[in-house]
Every structure is written in C-alpha cells, then in structure tokens.
Amino acid sequence: MHGVSHPLGRKVFYWLDLLGVAVFAVSGTLAAGYAGLDLLGVVVIAALTAIGGGTLRDLLMGRHPVFWMRDPNPLYVILLTALLTMLYVRVYPPPMGTLLWADALGLALFALSGAQIAEAARLPALVVVLMGTMSGAAGGVLRDVLTAKVPLLLRGDIYATAAIAGIALYLLLQAVGVRRPWAFGFGLATVAAMRGCAIVWPLHLPVFRL
Amino acid sequence: MHGVSHPLGRKVFYWLDLLGVAVFAVSGTLAAGYAGLDLLGVVVIAALTAIGGGTLRDLLMGRHPVFWMRDPNPLYVILLTALLTMLYVRVYPPPMGTLLWADALGLALFALSGAQIAEAARLPALVVVLMGTMSGAAGGVLRDVLTAKVPLLLRGDIYATAAIAGIALYLLLQAVGVRRPWAFGFGLATVAAMRGCAIVWPLHLPVFRL
Amino acid sequence: MHGVSHPLGRKVFYWLDLLGVAVFAVSGTLAAGYAGLDLLGVVVIAALTAIGGGTLRDLLMGRHPVFWMRDPNPLYVILLTALLTMLYVRVYPPPMGTLLWADALGLALFALSGAQIAEAARLPALVVVLMGTMSGAAGGVLRDVLTAKVPLLLRGDIYATAAIAGIALYLLLQAVGVRRPWAFGFGLATVAAMRGCAIVWPLHLPVFRL
C-alpha cells in the first residue's frame, strides 16, 4: 500500500496494514455510535480514524496521490467494517476489551510503517518519529475534533507516547547496527507492549495544569 | 476555474461555480452571525464554507496551486457576498427558505464539478465519489468545526448523501453509454432534487446510537 | 528557514524566525496548561501554535517538503521552549504581559515573512495577504480548535486584522516605489503597533450577531 520495500515482505505488510485500517474503523464506528451520528457520519468518522493519520502524513510529505487514491482497498475495508460493526453491536455488546488490544496492534503497525516511509524519504530522525507518531495517532485526534471533544490524546493516557518510544527504539537499534527487520520487530513490540501496559494499569503522563 | 473542459461549456461553468461560491458564502456569513463572530471571523467562516471543500480536494489530489490561488475571483466573490449579506440582514430577515434552495444548487454544482476533476485524473470510481462529495460538503463541516459544533453533516439530514447519489448516477450513466453532458445534467438534477426533498420533508438517515 | 532571499539578511531573519517560533510555543504551552493537558498534549499544542500557520501555508502553496522537514531546528526550539516554560511557571507566575508583547512581535514577523514567500511565488496580491495572515494567525486557530474552543481569532480582538493591515501596507509601499527592505520594516512595525494598541486599549472589530 505504501510503495516501500518492507522487512516483513510486502504482501504480509499489505494485509497487516489493512487489518490496522479495519481495527481503527471499528473504533471510529463505535465513537460515532456514542456520539449518536447518522449512517453517513459513522462512515466519515470511521474513515477519518482509520486513514486520517496516514493521509496527513502523505500531505505533509508531499506524497501524491495520497495512498488510498492509488489503491482504494482501504476505503472498501472501512465501508465493510463500519457496516459489520453496526450489525454486530445490534446483537452483542461492543467488545471494548478486545478492541483496545486490537487498537494497540493497529497503533504499532501504523506508527512503524509511517516511520519507515519517512525514513525512506531521508528525513531527519526527529521528523521520522513525528511522521510515524502522526500516522498512528492523528486519526484518533481528528475523530475527537469532529465529534467536538478535546482530543483524548491530549488529555492523558499513554498512547502517542508508546508510538514515540517504539519508533525511537527502531531508529536507535539501526544506528547501533541491528538489521532493519529486527529493529522493526522490536519497535513494533515496544509500541504494543507499552500501550498494553497502559491498558492494564492506569498509566498516565503527568498533567500540566495552570 | 478548474482547468478541465466541461460539458456545459467552460464559460457557463465558470459563472455557475462563482454562483456556488456566493451561495455558500452567504450560508457561512449567516452561520458566523449566529455564532456572534466579528467582521474578520465572518469573512473567515464565509471563505471556509465556500472554498474549504474544493481546497481540501485540491490538497488531497496534489493539485497545486490550489484553485483560488491561480484565479482569486472566488475570494473577491466571498468578500463582496459577506459584505452584502451583512448589510441585507440589517434591513430584512435572513431569507432562510431561499437560501436552503440556493444551497442545494451549490451543493449539486460543487459535487458534480469536483467529481469531474477527480474523473479527469483517472482516479478509481469510489475515490471520484469521495472527492466530489468532499468538494460539495466539506466546507460546511469546516464551518461547524470552527464554530465548535458537532458538524451538522454528521448528525442527520440528507446532505452529503444527495451528493453521493448524484455522483454515483453520473458515473453509472456514463458506464452504460450515456454521453457526459447528459450524465452530468442527470447527476446535477438528482443531487438538487434529493436535497430539495430533504428540505421539504423531514428525511433523515437512520441514526446509529450506542 | 524559508529559502527566500531576505531584506534583513538571511542569517538575521533565520534567528528572528526561530524567536517567533519560541514565542508562539510559549503561548501554546500556556494554553495547554490552562486546558489541563498532559506533557505530550503540551508539546502538540505548542508545536501546532508555533508552526501550524506556516505548515498550512506550505501545504496550500505546494511547497514540499514543509519547512520544518528540511530543517528540524524549529522542532527542537519548540521542545526546549515547552520544557523551559513548564519549569518557569512552577516557580514564577506566567508572564502574561511580556508574552502578549512578544506574541505581537511573532505575529508581525510570521505575517511579513509568510507574505514574502507568497510574493516570491508571484501569487496575486490578495492571496499574498491571505498567505501572510495565515502564516501569522492560523497557528492560534488550530490551538483553539484542538482545545475545543471557538477560535479567539474569530470572536473579537484586533489580531489577524493587524497582520492584514501590515501586509497590505508592505505591498502598497512597494507598488509606489519604496524599496523592499523599507517596505518590510514599515509593514512589520505596523503589525506590531496595531497589535500593541489592541493590547493596551480594548479595541475590537464590530461583531456581527444574528
């Protein structure tokens, strides 16, 4: 989907990325449901949550056309996922526990793949961290802004922080000679693990209040 | 204004497009008035409503410079419209009925012309629908976000839905061999008619509430 | 930082621009503190306030990569400034008076430098005014949207208005034959002075209320 060679093999990566899209689309659909939006609103919020971060990254990096314009499969995944999610929650309660864990995996995937894209464009390390974090976390911010909330991301919780740590580790390991596939794996695991800890225990960044 | 050849003739299209800008600028000006913004705020909201959708489309498609940079006439139309609207409502009550119908026409025009631009760039059909809908409806979303509301678009009402239906018909008719000018006309009429029905009768998409 | 030759000399301009970034980062950090965000939220809001306007300008003008991607120094300035600000206000009260004046200088610098970039791209005068004003004032709008407020800019206060006036004067003086460095200086002084007056006296644009 992103047109860069990838340590896990491009095929595997493509499917993992679509999985990430699906997970984020579920989270967007549920958020839209809690805000009481209509069917179209649901699809819009699902799409913004799932591809908003990557779209912002592509815009900032000047990658045209934006990734889902070349290959609209992410869009079909979003439509299908939103539909299935709405049907599912008519029968069963929303699987919030499972969702949180799937979301942690989605964050890890998007953060590391976004970082790789910025790395391939030879951007400075700090910008690589920023682009990766944005790919993983900006969709949720857009979701919150559109439903008129102060973005969750900005209020507490270890979320983007996990992405930052994992990407930093990925760059650091490569700098000390670790090969890219291994660095990628360790980075991925770090994001997922840190986010997982924040799900299990009430970890928060310190709040700055005036 | 958009640099693509156009079935209605480029001149006619250019003026229709400026008319759409004016209509949306009126709607933005009134929204700013209800939010109690100052003169500059009025102009900003009028401009975002009128050219926000097309600007977003141009950014996502990588069309540089953005349409109103090459030809700033839409900007002058916005300034003039905002001014006249503010003067008008000092004397007469806001013509909400007329405005709704003019807005339906604006939506139809922007949706179909946006779709055509995406079509000319040979984007996939789903992306054409998305770009057209965004051209027509995203300005109103920006207006609502900037005045700190949950966007109207996401909460109910047939609006973007009308754009989606009209653009889909436009593509479908061409696929079965109807010539572009006719397909364009039918698409335009569909958007305006669906939106018109939603003005007359309380039509809503089903709401998804958790 | 912007890759255009500059009347004050490129070196001086570069440092002045970083100073503007620092000032806006302080203002973003304080806003985040009043909204009770966490450390990461503070950095995000500080960054959006400081480089949001210039980033939007670069996106709209199709300048890729965006300015802070080529040279990440503004990002380091933001990180450092946010940190120092948080430490400072643990000990001393926020220096709101000083900050307002520094912000006036930042606005003037960003507005004029943004206008120059648009001027160098030979955009129409109205678009030059718009790009400059956006460079100076859009960061604060993003800050307010992200903390779920109706942007201050839209509600009152002479702010963007000062930028518009200063840039218009800059263009006007050049049109009547004044040399660019002088026009730049007069424009800069006008923005800062108008903003300064609005700090000292309660000046507001008329409000349009329906």
Side-chain angles (χ1 to χ4, degrees):
Chain A
M1 188 154 83
H2 293 298
V4 290
S5 81
H6 193 275
L8 302 179
R10 208 190 277 201
K11 257 299 167 42
V12 175
F13 181 59
Y14 183 83
W15 289 101
L16 279 176
D17 228 20
L18 285 185
L19 182 71
V21 167
V23 166
F24 279 127
V26 172
S27 128
T29 304
L30 295 178
Y34 288 119
L37 304 185
D38 70 8
L39 290 194
L40 184 82
V42 168
V43 171
V44 171
I45 298 294
L48 273 175
T49 312
I51 58 175
T55 302
L56 204 54
R57 175 204 60 216
D58 283 3
L59 283 181
L60 288 170
M61 288 183 57
R63 301 176 84 229
H64 289 295
V66 164
F67 70 94
W68 45 264
M69 284 199 184
R70 274 172 281 153
D71 165 20
N73 279 345
L75 301 182
Y76 289 111
V77 168
I78 289 164
L79 286 175
L80 193 67
T81 306
L83 186 71
L84 291 178
T85 304
M86 285 187 284
L87 293 176
Y88 182 94
V89 297
R90 298 214 128 205
V91 185
Y92 306 101
M96 295 313 284
T98 315
L99 184 65
L100 274 174
W101 287 96
D103 181 90
L105 184 65
L107 174 67
L109 276 168
F110 279 17
L112 268 296
S113 78
Q116 271 204 327
I117 290 170
E119 202 189 9
R122 303 182 175 282
L123 294 171
L126 183 60
V127 177
V128 170
V129 172
L130 191 60
M131 289 295 108
T133 305
M134 185 177 284
S135 306
V141 173
L142 287 174
R143 175 196 63 207
D144 292 345
V145 169
L146 264 281
T147 51
K149 288 187 193 147
V150 173
L152 197 62
L153 177 76
L154 306 175
R155 272 179 304 158
D157 237 33
I158 301 292
Y159 195 89
T161 313
I164 294 171
I167 299 167
L169 184 69
Y170 165 70
L171 293 176
L172 217 70
L173 288 178
Q174 284 192 80
V176 300
V178 177
R179 296 175 67 178
R180 185 169 296 180
W182 287 97
F184 189 88
F186 277 114
L188 208 66
T190 302
V191 180
M194 275 189 70
R195 183 66 198 126
C197 289
I199 293 172
V200 176
W201 297 293
L203 297 177
H204 295 287
L205 283 183
V207 164
F208 171 56
R209 195 178 298 278
L210 277 173
Chain B
M1 188 155 83
H2 294 296
V4 290
S5 82
H6 192 276
L8 302 179
R10 209 189 277 202
K11 257 295 166 46
V12 176
F13 182 59
Y14 183 84
W15 288 102
L16 279 176
D17 229 21
L18 285 185
L19 181 71
V21 167
V23 167
F24 279 128
V26 172
S27 129
T29 303
L30 294 179
Y34 287 119
L37 303 185
D38 69 9
L39 290 194
L40 183 81
V42 168
V43 172
V44 170
I45 297 295
L48 273 174
T49 311
I51 58 175
T55 302
L56 204 53
R57 175 204 61 216
D58 282 2
L59 282 182
L60 287 171
M61 289 183 57
R63 302 176 84 230
H64 289 294
V66 163
F67 71 93
W68 44 265
M69 284 199 185
R70 275 172 280 152
D71 166 22
N73 278 346
L75 302 182
Y76 289 110
V77 168
I78 290 164
L79 286 175
L80 193 67
T81 307
L83 186 70
L84 291 179
T85 304
M86 284 187 286
L87 294 176
Y88 182 94
V89 297
R90 297 214 129 205
V91 185
Y92 306 101
M96 295 313 283
T98 316
L99 183 65
L100 273 173
W101 288 95
D103 181 89
L105 184 65
L107 174 67
L109 277 167
F110 279 16
L112 268 296
S113 77
Q116 270 204 327
I117 290 170
E119 202 189 9
R122 303 182 174 283
L123 293 172
L126 183 60
V127 177
V128 170
V129 173
L130 191 60
M131 289 296 108
T133 306
M134 185 177 283
S135 306
V141 173
L142 287 174
R143 174 196 64 206
D144 292 345
V145 168
L146 265 281
T147 50
K149 287 186 193 150
V150 173
L152 197 63
L153 176 77
L154 307 175
R155 272 180 305 161
D157 237 34
I158 302 292
Y159 195 89
T161 313
I164 293 170
I167 299 167
L169 183 70
Y170 164 70
L171 293 176
L172 217 69
L173 287 178
Q174 284 191 82
V176 300
V178 176
R179 295 175 67 178
R180 186 169 295 181
W182 286 96
F184 189 88
F186 278 113
L188 207 66
T190 303
V191 180
M194 275 190 69
R195 182 68 199 127
C197 289
I199 293 172
V200 176
W201 297 294
L203 297 177
H204 295 287
L205 283 183
V207 164
F208 172 56
R209 196 178 296 279
L210 278 173
Chain C
M1 191 154 80
H2 293 298
V4 290
S5 82
H6 193 276
L8 302 180
R10 209 191 276 201
K11 258 291 166 49
V12 176
F13 182 57
Y14 183 83
W15 288 102
L16 279 176
D17 229 21
L18 285 184
L19 182 70
V21 166
V23 167
F24 279 128
V26 172
S27 129
T29 303
L30 295 178
Y34 288 118
L37 303 185
D38 70 8
L39 290 194
L40 184 80
V42 168
V43 171
V44 171
I45 297 295
L48 273 173
T49 311
I51 58 176
T55 302
L56 204 54
R57 175 203 62 216
D58 282 2
L59 283 181
L60 287 170
M61 289 184 57
R63 302 176 84 230
H64 289 294
V66 163
F67 70 92
W68 45 265
M69 284 199 186
R70 274 172 282 153
D71 166 20
N73 278 347
L75 301 183
Y76 289 111
V77 168
I78 290 164
L79 285 175
L80 193 67
T81 307
L83 186 71
L84 291 178
T85 304
M86 285 188 284
L87 293 176
Y88 182 93
V89 296
R90 297 215 130 206
V91 185
Y92 306 101
M96 296 313 283
T98 316
L99 183 65
L100 274 173
W101 287 96
D103 181 90
L105 184 65
L107 174 68
L109 276 168
F110 279 16
L112 268 296
S113 78
Q116 271 205 326
I117 290 171
E119 202 189 11
R122 303 182 173 283
L123 293 172
L126 182 60
V127 177
V128 170
V129 173
L130 191 58
M131 290 295 108
T133 305
M134 186 177 284
S135 306
V141 173
L142 287 173
R143 175 196 63 206
D144 292 346
V145 168
L146 264 281
T147 50
K149 288 187 192 149
V150 173
L152 197 64
L153 176 76
L154 306 175
R155 272 179 305 158
D157 236 33
I158 301 292
Y159 195 89
T161 313
I164 293 170
I167 299 167
L169 183 69
Y170 164 71
L171 293 177
L172 218 69
L173 288 178
Q174 285 191 79
V176 300
V178 176
R179 295 175 65 177
R180 184 168 296 179
W182 287 96
F184 190 88
F186 278 114
L188 207 67
T190 303
V191 180
M194 274 189 70
R195 184 65 199 129
C197 290
I199 294 173
V200 177
W201 297 292
L203 297 176
H204 295 287
L205 283 183
V207 164
F208 171 56
R209 195 178 297 277
L210 278 174

